[in-house]
Amino acid sequence: MIGVIALGLALQATPLRIDWPSLAPLPYRSEPQITPDMLGFVASEVVARKCPLAIGPGLTLSVDVAVLVDTQDNIRTTVPRAIQCPSVEQYAAAMVAGAARGNLLPRMATADQWYRATVTFTWPK
């Protein structure tokens, strides 16, 4: 898991051009669920890091994550889309990597393939 995050950080440091709209959705067997603890962590990071993001009751915050999946359906790396809050970006990328492990629909891929996952944090009203 640390290797995945480190590789994701390294890829962010180099100019990786991702055509976000062209990426197919990550084929989860079951969609991951956002828990209250996850919402609390993201809210505390946004406040602590003074990120310029709106959070709170009734609001949502979405983070797109590009995911490279190999031919054996293993996650090679995750790369979050910048939202001006690196700790939340990396948290979302790690969440996607963890949620995808053993949770992808079977594919007939003959090469590594990029997908897109979107993590949406929604605070209740």
Side-chain angles (χ1 to χ4, degrees):
M1 177 67 143
I2 300 222
V4 169
I5 294 171
L7 185 55
L9 286 170
L11 286 173
Q12 278 191 314
T14 61
L16 177 66
R17 297 195 193 275
I18 298 173
D19 183 8
W20 293 94
S22 72
L23 297 178
L26 187 63
Y28 287 119
R29 282 184 196 274
S30 61
E31 290 287 327
Q33 302 300 308
I34 305 297
T35 67
D37 286 343
M38 293 172 174
L39 287 174
F41 177 79
V42 169
S44 68
E45 285 298 299
V46 168
V47 171
R49 308 282 183 241
K50 297 181 173 70
C51 300
L53 304 171
I55 59 166
L59 298 176
T60 62
L61 171 62
S62 293
V63 182
D64 288 328
V65 179
V67 183
L68 183 60
V69 181
D70 70 15
T71 57
Q72 289 81 42
D73 293 336
N74 296 310
I75 305 303
R76 300 283 309 218
T77 191
T78 57
V79 180
R81 192 175 200 172
I83 60 165
Q84 299 180 346
C85 195
S87 61
V88 173
E89 295 163 15
Q90 290 304 313
Y91 183 65
M95 285 177 54
V96 169
R101 192 168 293 114
N103 187 28
L104 296 180
L105 292 170
R107 303 170 316 118
M108 302 303 286
T110 58
D112 293 358
Q113 185 173 350
W114 285 97
Y115 291 92
R116 178 183 36 82
T118 301
V119 179
T120 302
F121 301 98
T122 303
W123 286 268
K125 291 184 180 187

